[in-house]
Amino acid sequence: MTINRNKLLILIVLPVILFFVSLFLGRYPVAPGTVLKILADSLVPGTFECHDTARTVILQVRLPRILLAMLVGAGLSISGATFQGMFRNPLVSPYILGVCSGAGFGAALAILCSESPLLIQVSAFSFGLAAVTMAYTLSRVSTSTPVLMMVLSGVVLSALFSALISLAKYVADPYEKLPAIVFWLMGSLSGRSLKDFGFIVIPILMGTTGLLLVRWRINVMSLGHEEARTLGVNIEVMKGIVITCATVITAAAVCVSGVIGWVGLVIPHIGRMLVGPDHRVLLPATLAIGAAYLLMIDNLARILTATEIPLGILTAIVGAPFFAYLLRRTKGGWE
């Protein structure tokens, strides 16, 4: 499947434009020329003389946040597109197997014990992986893992970890720990640094590379398991590869951003509207669209009000009406 030049140009240029525009936006004004000088001087030290405050704002505050927004948005989007293809269901999101609630409980537990950012991230990442592992193990029937069993297992584990999150909030100190847990669960990239980017970039890149390498097999799986077996695809092996890659991506994204809903659910549909259902093209397209979308949402979160709006709120406000439109348009089907 080919993409016309206009769509291809949009997919390539839009994230790049938003990246540079985002460096100018914020409560501390920095002129575009100054931003370019700061970037050039960071690459070749001594090229330009730049104000220390502007340099700090661009390189230590905005740049890490922009990179994280693009990385998280791209990761959640490609995970959602992959799961929707594998499960053959347009309502599936990256959180279907319980990674979100598992990571949320891990973060809440770490906040109760310590407010160390690294401990929170490691705990959220570990519990997110553990939740999906438990769901996958629970869904095993003999030597296979039926799709319905995986979905039901994910629902069960999500309910369990959601209850544990509620328990953690119930016993938390209402003046310090409880607000921290609630804010984390709302999703935000405030205060993130290049260390946070370095913590998740390798897992997300590894998972993304794995999904891109098998994207043609996801096309076959989306036809149905019987057809896939007829065409020589080992269904159980492919399920394991896809679930592992998508889960690593999602857990890594959630552990630094908190719970950001609707990105992995809505962006794949936008991708299909632009490039069609062929996963060989759809997965790269969702990477670009997801990166641009979450970066745009994060910019709005930073500049709309005096206090920053959690990302999870904005993505729901934008995503829910759009998804309602899709439901009305397709009448619950998947075109």
Side-chain angles (χ1 to χ4, degrees):
M1 175 179 257
T2 59
I3 314 176
N4 67 48
R5 291 183 178 180
N6 291 336
K7 291 179 180 178
L8 182 61
L9 186 63
I10 291 173
L11 293 176
I12 294 175
V13 172
L14 182 59
V16 177
I17 293 177
L18 282 174
F19 172 84
F20 285 104
V21 170
S22 299
L23 290 171
F24 313 147
L25 298 177
R27 306 197 180 282
Y28 182 84
V30 181
T34 304
V35 171
L36 294 177
K37 289 179 180 179
I38 291 172
L39 294 178
D41 188 67
S42 65
L43 295 175
V44 184
T47 305
F48 297 99
E49 291 186 6
C50 305
H51 195 279
D52 289 341
T53 302
R55 180 190 296 273
T56 300
V57 168
I58 296 300
L59 296 182
Q60 298 183 23
V61 179
R62 292 183 188 169
L63 182 60
R65 183 164 181 162
I66 290 168
L67 292 175
L68 278 170
M70 297 182 74
L71 188 63
V72 170
L76 293 176
S77 299
I78 193 174
S79 298
T82 302
F83 273 164
Q84 287 175 8
M86 188 184 77
F87 287 106
R88 304 176 65 201
N89 189 328
L91 302 178
V92 167
S93 77
Y95 304 148
I96 187 66
L97 297 181
V99 63
C100 174
S101 54
F105 173 67
L109 190 63
I111 291 172
L112 288 177
C113 299
S114 169
E115 292 190 3
S116 166
L118 179 60
L119 178 62
I120 294 171
Q121 291 172 5
V122 171
S123 180
F125 183 75
S126 301
F127 273 89
L129 295 181
V132 176
T133 302
M134 292 168 65
Y136 186 81
T137 303
L138 184 62
S139 65
R140 291 288 290 179
V141 177
S142 186
T143 58
S144 64
T145 50
V147 169
L148 180 59
M149 285 291 292
M150 280 194 288
V151 173
L152 292 177
S153 299
V155 170
V156 170
L157 268 298
S158 293
L160 173 62
F161 280 108
S162 294
L164 292 175
I165 291 173
S166 298
L167 178 62
K169 291 193 288 186
Y170 180 76
V171 302
D173 176 11
Y175 299 105
E176 295 183 5
K177 303 292 186 178
L178 181 58
I181 293 173
V182 172
F183 185 75
W184 192 94
L185 293 173
M186 288 182 179
S188 176
L189 294 174
S190 176
R192 301 298 185 262
S193 65
L194 285 175
K195 290 182 179 179
D196 300 304
F197 178 79
F199 182 77
I200 69 168
V201 65
I202 293 178
I204 289 182
L205 287 180
M206 290 176 61
T208 299
T209 301
L211 293 179
L212 291 175
L213 289 175
V214 300
R215 63 188 186 275
W216 70 269
R217 291 184 174 88
I218 300 173
N219 274 345
V220 179
M221 293 178 68
S222 66
L223 298 174
H225 290 177
E226 293 301 325
E227 290 81 356
R229 288 191 184 93
T230 302
L231 293 172
V233 174
N234 189 321
I235 295 297
E236 296 306 316
V237 172
M238 280 306 304
K239 282 181 185 176
I241 293 173
V242 168
I243 291 174
T244 299
C245 292
T247 299
V248 168
I249 293 171
T250 306
V254 170
C255 78
V256 297
S257 67
V259 181
I260 301 177
W262 296 94
V263 177
L265 180 62
V266 174
I267 297 302
H269 289 282
I270 297 176
R272 290 187 193 92
M273 294 169 64
L274 289 175
V275 303
D278 187 346
H279 288 83
R280 292 174 298 174
V281 181
L282 177 62
L283 295 193
T286 54
L287 286 172
I289 300 169
Y293 172 75
L294 193 59
L295 180 55
M296 180 180 65
I297 293 294
D298 188 55
N299 289 337
L300 292 176
R302 290 192 291 122
I303 65 178
L304 277 181
T305 61
T307 57
E308 184 175 317
I309 303 174
L311 291 179
I313 294 176
L314 283 180
T315 54
I317 291 174
V318 174
F322 181 77
F323 200 72
Y325 159 75
L326 286 177
L327 287 177
R328 291 294 298 172
R329 177 183 175 187
T330 61
K331 298 180 180 180
W334 189 6
E335 296 180 355

